[in-house]
Amino acid sequence: MAKDTKFLLLFLLLSSSSSLCFGSEQDIQCPRSVQQSVIDPLGVLKSSWNFGYATDGYICSFTGVQCWQGSENMVLSLLLDNLGLEGPFPQGLQNCTSLNILDLLYNNFSAPIPFSIAQQISYVTSLNLSYNNFSGEIPESMENLAYLNTFNLQHNQLRGQILERFSVLGRLTSFNVADNLLSGPIPTFPQDFSPLYFAGNQDLCGAPLDECPRSQRWTLRRINGESSVGAAVGFVLGFVVAFYFHLYCCERLLPYVFHT
């Protein structure tokens, strides 16, 4: 019995030591998922990211992977810039439990940025998706990336407006959306960003660019006015319906009341 207990304790000790050395299996799954989800025509990830040799901190030697400590498989940064990668936004990033920096600069990624990106990279402080072919709108969920310091989306195919709620990202020192297809007024950021960060979007306006055209301001006021009128009409209709329902109920109940 004593030998069995000693063996169990030794097994648990070795197991815990192994997990401390090798890091979380999630963090190992992260680059594995990224490798499987992207197109790698130059074979950079295929040749460098070899998962066949599980040693202390082995993923830290992969091209573009930086770890918090060299002896732990805990990913700090994914610096995958200028590797000729293609396909949609990489998958599996939520498994990088301590990811701080994501750089996909100068690749050929396309398709929309996933709406769930904020859940995938919750603790990222630097996000660079510039010089790709991402399309669609900037996901609303990005407003929840509360730790972002640099946020670069320059030279893509992004459309739609920059939501006013992005102005709550108070840590930002860089917000570069130049050379896209964005439109509408620029949010009122507490920081002073260079006009170059917004240049190259034909229908984007407002500080620090030129003032929005009067017609566009009128359209925005009309939309807001229609929203207010719609809300007022809805309230009045609801009140009228409730009033007549109340009268109907009273008329049905009144004979019973007098009878009683």
Side-chain angles (χ1 to χ4, degrees):
M1 183 67 180
K3 290 183 178 180
D4 292 340
T5 303
K6 289 181 180 178
F7 177 80
L8 179 59
L9 291 174
L10 180 61
F11 177 79
L12 292 174
L13 179 61
L14 291 174
S15 299
S16 62
S17 299
S18 175
S19 62
L20 286 174
C21 291
F22 296 138
S24 168
E25 177 61 31
Q26 269 189 285
D27 277 83
I28 298 173
Q29 182 60 36
C30 176
R32 183 183 283 117
S33 298
V34 169
Q35 185 189 54
Q36 294 171 350
S37 66
V38 304
I39 301 171
D40 182 18
L42 302 180
V44 178
L45 303 188
K46 183 177 180 180
S47 61
S48 168
W49 290 18
N50 188 342
F51 295 92
Y53 302 97
T55 58
D56 294 6
Y58 75 105
I59 66 172
C60 306
S61 63
F62 291 178
T63 297
V65 177
Q66 294 182 351
C67 296
W68 287 89
Q69 295 185 28
S71 60
E72 295 180 344
N73 290 321
M74 294 184 64
V75 179
L76 169 66
S77 307
L78 283 177
L79 308 178
L80 307 181
D81 53 299
N82 203 23
L83 298 181
L85 302 176
E86 302 175 3
F89 190 83
Q91 298 179 16
L93 293 173
Q94 69 275 9
N95 293 316
C96 282
T97 56
S98 304
L99 185 64
N100 197 246
I101 298 173
L102 177 61
D103 189 348
L104 304 180
L105 176 70
Y106 284 118
N107 285 289
N108 294 305
F109 289 110
S110 57
I113 302 170
F115 181 81
S116 61
I117 185 173
Q119 288 72 45
Q120 297 183 41
I121 54 173
S122 301
Y123 303 108
V124 159
T125 61
S126 178
L127 177 62
N128 195 343
L129 307 182
S130 297
Y131 288 91
N132 283 280
N133 292 300
F134 288 114
S135 59
E137 298 184 352
I138 303 174
E140 294 181 18
S141 66
M142 282 188 164
E143 69 179 48
N144 297 318
L145 295 174
Y147 300 102
L148 269 183
N149 293 323
T150 60
F151 186 16
N152 295 325
L153 301 172
Q154 182 180 4
H155 201 88
N156 281 282
Q157 302 294 318
L158 298 170
R159 298 178 177 273
Q161 296 190 5
I162 306 172
L163 297 180
E164 183 68 32
R165 286 173 290 183
F166 283 109
S167 62
V168 303
L169 296 175
R171 296 172 178 259
L172 285 179
T173 57
S174 174
F175 183 84
N176 193 336
V177 295
D179 302 321
N180 279 282
L181 304 170
L182 297 170
S183 60
I186 298 171
T188 305
F189 289 96
Q191 308 90 328
D192 291 327
F193 293 128
S194 167
L196 297 177
Y197 286 2
F198 304 95
N201 293 277
Q202 184 175 358
D203 296 320
L204 203 60
C205 60
L209 299 181
D210 293 337
E211 187 177 356
C212 291
R214 183 174 301 176
S215 59
Q216 188 171 10
R217 294 200 303 271
W218 181 85
T219 301
L220 291 172
R221 285 198 301 268
R222 180 173 59 84
I223 292 173
N224 292 333
E226 287 176 352
S227 300
S228 300
V229 170
V233 169
F235 175 79
V236 171
L237 286 176
F239 177 80
V240 170
V241 170
F243 178 74
Y244 277 102
F245 181 77
H246 175 73
L247 287 179
Y248 174 77
C249 290
C250 288
E251 289 176 357
R252 295 291 301 272
L253 291 174
L254 197 58
Y256 295 100
V257 173
F258 281 108
H259 178 72
T260 303

